[in-house]
Amino acid sequence: MSDYTLNKLKAPRLLYWGIFLFLGFLIVIGLASSSYMEHEGHYVTGMNNQIVWGLPHIFAVTLIVIASGVLNIASMSSAFNKKLYKPLAPLSALFAIAFLIAGLIILVLDLGRPDRLIVAMTTYNFKSIFAWNIFLYSGFFVILAVYIWSMLDFNVTRFSSLVGKIAFGWRIILTTGTGSIFGFLVAREAYSTAVLAPLFIVMSLLYGTAVFYLLLRVISRLQSINIPDEITKNIRRLMIIFLLANIYFLILYHITNLYISKQIAVESFILLNGGGYTTMFWLGQVGLGLVIPLLYEMTNDEGRSFGLTITSLMVLVGGFFAVAVIIIGGQAFPLNIFPDHIILESSFYDNVIHSYTPSIFEFGLGVGGTSLALIIILILITNLKFIPVKK
Amino acid sequence: MNNRRHFLVKSASALTMTFIVPSLLSSNAQAKKPLDQKVTDKKSWGMHIDVDKCVDGCTACVDACNEENGLTGFGRPETDSQWIRKIKIKDKTTEKITTMPMLCQHCENPPCCDVCPTGASFKRVDGIVMVNQHTCIGCRYCMMACPFKARSFVHETLTTQNTNAPRGKGCVESCNLCVNKIDHGSDTTACEDACSKAGHNAITFGDLKDSNSKVRLAIESNSPRRLRDDLNLKQKVFYSNI
Ligand code: SF4
Ligand code: SF4
């Protein structure tokens, strides 16, 4: 694809408006859900003093992880000079911005006091990895905006490779930062290994690539163009590599945990006797998200776009479960306040495995936020030239 | 709305009294009442709990804390706030069963403060760890970080409030060692008072820096330990006979 130009999306009018209104509707539902939660208080959600982070956080973390991962396509072109991906780099950066915004908005709307966002933006505790993340996210946002501009405005394209390299480095730090949000929790045994950060990075690469391919499929359908076989083949190869890397780091993560003897209890909770969490881990995260797609792709004909679509969908659903197991599973297991004792009674549920049933409002917020990412993409690719077409 | 404004005014002035006024006055005014004084590191508040004296079924400390801080529940135990709670545990080797109160351990190295993005969770120089109800954004990261599950998130609109303990929907809160009483010159907490009133004397509170304080005597005449001392958080709440 050396001879290409960038175009605007020219989808059939009716289809465009249909999608637009549908996403808009979901966004309104998301806003309504969040304002209801805010007005009533969080007791209307499934979250409580035991499971303090719930479905909104699963959505938000998944989206932020995806945001960093979809940029991979642009990084391949700018940081690794893969010519094949150059035409797709602006789209990749646009997706990254959109998913980052969506993830952050969900996080903010789930705060107990979203009205105090300004406090969060002006008062920093520099010891907090959370505060650092606010910096990382805002920085990423600015870098991506400059990056997109440098790719679209032909007067400044010579900078785009440099900005692309900066974006590449930044996003690795950003994902490490996201993973570290959990890694810093000394008392939550499920999280206390250093492998969590690299695990987040490989997760981001995998989910990001899957999302990129899915969106590319949708856009090519809307625009009635074909994705070149070469691209499909390449993305498939990436997907297989990332699947293998994910499996490797996941095994490493759990083996590390099993080595730390005090973490054996929480490990066997996730791997063996955690009920719903164990099911989510084996069927969702491992089965649907990693093993089945890997086997499917390895036995599948090379470069079949339909197959890759199915794989991407499975990876994405599996990824959602993976984040859920990390976030909810890590909280469900009771804190080990008394290593030498068994807690018999407590009014604060210190002795039980916590259960979590998300409410419809949390789901509404998550879906609304995700729709926000999609509508941003839809609006921008319709009004600016992002889509590569052969000359 | 009116109620809320009323509360805001009250709590704002309570906060002014606790934080702003003392710092304004300290430089020139003669300190007569403790409220006029700036919080200093001359004192270090702490607590000793003798679990052998704590009685199964007694909730005097919990009731007193709820009263002191206006913690009225909504009949929803999973989301209602608990600043202090009773726990019953069994030793895995000796099978000894003990019951005791659990509360914020007022860590010297508090993970809750380390993770708080806005610094709303903070440790005073006298060792009290508390949440600034005006800057907490309700992210609950501190709840994820606390190894003792000492914190509660206010899950619903509060209708009744005590002026001496400002609270707010959407913010996180926890035991502040009756900071309001202390800043008014008291050297006891509501739970300690209630425990001794009930005749059990399991809780002893006081200044850890004063070698004659009752808490120091209690610590020296027992051999207490900190919970999860492997985490090296250097809590100010000590337990004996666990
Ligand atoms: S016990 Fe928990 S809330 Fe209290 S200071 Fe320690 S970490 Fe913070
Ligand atoms: S909930 Fe409040 S006190 Fe806790 S970490 Fe967040 S801002 Fe700080």
Side-chain angles (χ1 to χ4, degrees):
Chain A
M1 278 208 17
S2 49
D3 288 330
Y4 70 94
T5 54
L6 293 176
N7 263 355
K8 295 178 184 175
L9 178 75
K10 284 189 204 73
R13 260 187 104 71
L14 212 61
L15 192 57
Y16 173 85
W17 283 108
I19 300 176
F20 187 89
L21 289 177
F22 179 65
L23 292 175
F25 172 72
L26 294 179
I27 292 171
V28 171
I29 294 214
L31 284 175
S33 306
S34 111
S35 69
Y36 181 73
M37 291 193 287
E38 235 41 79
H39 183 259
E40 289 296 309
H42 273 63
Y43 87 95
V44 297
T45 69
M47 293 175 275
N48 49 41
N49 283 328
Q50 285 68 46
I51 303 283
V52 301
W53 286 352
L55 193 57
H57 304 80
I58 301 177
F59 269 101
V61 170
T62 310
L63 288 169
I64 292 171
V65 162
I66 289 175
S68 149
V70 279
L71 192 66
N72 192 42
I73 300 294
S75 304
M76 301 287 281
S77 117
S78 60
F80 299 110
N81 209 11
K82 267 236 171 201
K83 292 272 182 314
L84 177 70
Y85 292 117
K86 190 155 183 264
L88 296 171
L91 263 186
S92 152
L94 169 67
F95 294 170
I97 282 204
F99 285 110
L100 183 66
I101 294 179
L104 292 181
I105 291 233
I106 295 177
L107 273 190
V108 168
L109 289 183
D110 178 74
L111 290 178
R113 297 295 305 260
D115 53 314
R116 287 186 182 162
L117 180 61
I118 194 75
V119 176
M121 312 271 273
T122 49
T123 340
Y124 289 109
N125 166 22
F126 286 101
K127 264 186 132 179
S128 167
I129 183 78
F130 235 32
W132 283 103
N133 270 302
I134 299 177
F135 269 127
L136 289 176
Y137 297 145
S138 347
F140 193 51
F141 193 79
V142 173
I143 291 173
L144 284 178
V146 174
Y147 185 36
I148 292 182
W149 170 60
S150 75
M151 286 186 289
L152 296 189
D153 182 342
F154 287 108
N155 296 322
V156 288
T157 39
R158 62 207 144 96
F159 296 120
S160 75
S161 154
L162 173 68
V163 188
K165 286 187 180 109
I166 297 177
F168 170 73
W170 197 275
R171 99 193 150 92
I172 297 289
I173 303 174
L174 181 122
T175 319
T176 313
T178 311
S180 305
I181 289 180
F182 299 96
F184 271 79
L185 301 171
V186 283
R188 304 269 172 184
E189 291 168 351
Y191 305 140
S192 44
T193 84
V195 188
L196 205 56
L199 182 65
F200 263 83
I201 293 179
V202 289
M203 281 162 71
S204 90
L205 292 171
L206 179 64
Y207 311 155
T209 310
V211 167
F212 187 85
Y213 187 70
L214 287 174
L215 288 175
L216 201 60
R217 281 276 289 179
V218 174
I219 291 173
S220 64
R221 271 293 174 81
L222 289 175
Q223 190 82 324
S224 315
I225 46 172
N226 283 327
I227 304 175
D229 278 352
E230 221 189 332
I231 300 258
T232 311
K233 274 187 201 158
N234 257 281
I235 293 188
R236 172 179 172 275
R237 212 171 305 145
L238 281 180
M239 202 85 103
I240 293 177
I241 295 171
F242 295 151
L243 279 167
L244 288 169
N246 260 270
I247 293 174
Y248 171 74
F249 274 101
L250 190 65
I251 294 174
L252 192 65
Y253 172 70
H254 286 287
I255 287 186
T256 321
N257 265 354
L258 283 171
Y259 255 105
I260 308 173
S261 58
K262 63 177 194 219
Q263 268 145 237
I264 285 190
V266 65
E267 267 307 298
S268 66
F269 170 70
I270 299 285
L271 302 182
L272 293 174
N273 47 28
Y277 301 105
T278 305
T279 316
M280 279 207 286
F281 176 77
W282 286 111
L283 292 188
Q285 178 174 0
V286 176
L288 191 64
L290 297 173
V291 175
I292 299 176
L294 184 65
L295 292 179
Y296 180 66
E297 275 310 324
M298 303 213 3
T299 52
N300 183 14
D301 282 349
E302 247 196 52
R304 264 195 22 220
S305 58
F306 177 72
L308 196 55
T309 310
I310 300 288
T311 302
S312 302
L313 281 172
M314 286 195 287
V315 161
L316 201 54
V317 176
F320 196 78
F321 279 117
V323 177
V325 169
I326 292 176
I327 296 187
I328 312 291
Q331 296 174 81
F333 194 71
L335 283 168
N336 191 9
I337 304 177
F338 303 94
D340 309 324
H341 295 75
I342 301 164
I343 302 180
L344 300 175
E345 283 169 25
S346 160
S347 60
F348 213 44
Y349 306 93
D350 294 280
N351 52 340
V352 291
I353 306 272
H354 310 308
S355 64
Y356 169 65
T357 319
S359 67
I360 188 81
F361 311 110
E362 292 153 271
F363 190 70
L365 174 59
V367 171
T370 313
S371 308
L372 179 70
L374 299 177
I375 214 167
I376 292 175
I377 295 171
L378 183 69
I379 293 174
L380 285 176
I381 60 174
T382 311
N383 293 294
L384 294 172
K385 292 179 178 169
F386 273 99
I387 303 170
V389 273
K390 275 203 174 118
K391 263 184 193 156
Chain B
M1 190 64 214
N2 230 339
N3 247 342
R4 187 177 153 76
R5 179 175 316 146
H6 199 62
F7 158 67
L8 280 178
V9 170
K10 271 199 194 166
S11 56
S13 49
L15 244 115
T16 321
M17 291 303 277
T18 334
F19 297 108
I20 303 171
V21 175
S23 58
L24 287 179
L25 291 183
S26 57
S27 50
N28 46 20
Q30 278 302 322
K32 293 207 176 64
K33 310 202 301 286
L35 201 58
D36 295 340
Q37 291 170 10
K38 208 172 166 180
V39 177
T40 67
D41 59 1
K42 294 217 171 63
K43 288 188 192 311
S44 172
W45 299 108
M47 189 176 270
H48 173 265
I49 294 168
D50 186 343
V51 300
D52 275 353
K53 292 184 178 164
C54 179
V55 176
D56 191 12
C58 171
T59 55
C61 54
V62 179
D63 300 338
C65 177
N66 291 346
E67 168 93 15
E68 171 73 21
N69 298 296
L71 309 177
T72 39
F74 296 85
R76 281 183 270 271
E78 294 203 318
T79 47
D80 285 343
S81 284
Q82 295 195 29
W83 292 14
I84 180 169
R85 63 189 188 274
K86 283 293 295 283
I87 281 192
K88 192 194 272 186
I89 57 172
K90 183 168 98 178
D91 193 305
K92 281 182 192 160
T93 38
T94 65
E95 306 224 320
K96 180 187 170 196
I97 293 182
T98 30
T99 154
M100 60 182 167
M102 269 299 293
L103 63 161
C104 169
Q105 307 286 302
H106 296 276
C107 309
E108 174 87 53
N109 310 318
C112 57
C113 300
D114 287 348
V115 300
C116 176
T118 64
S121 282
F122 69 106
K123 188 183 74 186
R124 305 203 322 178
V125 284
D126 60 359
I128 296 178
V129 175
M130 55 189 290
V131 180
N132 180 344
Q133 296 291 315
H134 291 253
T135 49
C136 171
I137 54 172
C139 66
R140 285 105 78 202
Y141 197 17
C142 53
M143 299 176 77
M144 291 288 283
C146 173
F148 307 104
K149 212 158 164 265
R151 296 202 149 183
S152 294
F153 178 68
V154 180
H155 282 79
E156 26 202 320
T157 310
L158 302 171
T159 43
T160 49
Q161 294 251 10
N162 281 0
T163 31
N164 59 3
R167 309 171 59 209
K169 177 176 75 178
C171 294
V172 167
E173 52 185 26
S174 56
C175 158
N176 53 28
L177 291 176
C178 287
V179 70
N180 186 62
K181 278 162 74 89
I182 291 176
D183 285 344
H184 279 85
S186 165
D187 63 352
T188 64
T189 60
C191 53
E192 181 192 37
D193 284 347
C195 187
S196 63
K197 215 170 182 185
H200 306 314
N201 296 310
I203 302 176
T204 316
F205 173 81
D207 178 9
L208 296 171
K209 282 193 176 158
D210 174 358
S211 54
N212 293 317
S213 68
K214 51 193 190 320
V215 69
R216 276 284 291 272
L217 297 178
I219 289 174
E220 274 147 31
S221 56
N222 286 282
S223 45
R225 46 171 279 205
R226 296 179 167 114
L227 302 179
R228 287 299 304 263
D229 43 10
D230 54 319
L231 296 176
N232 199 24
L233 306 176
K234 301 207 168 76
Q235 302 95 298
K236 302 269 175 51
V237 176
F238 297 82
Y239 288 85
S240 284
N241 300 316
I242 292 189

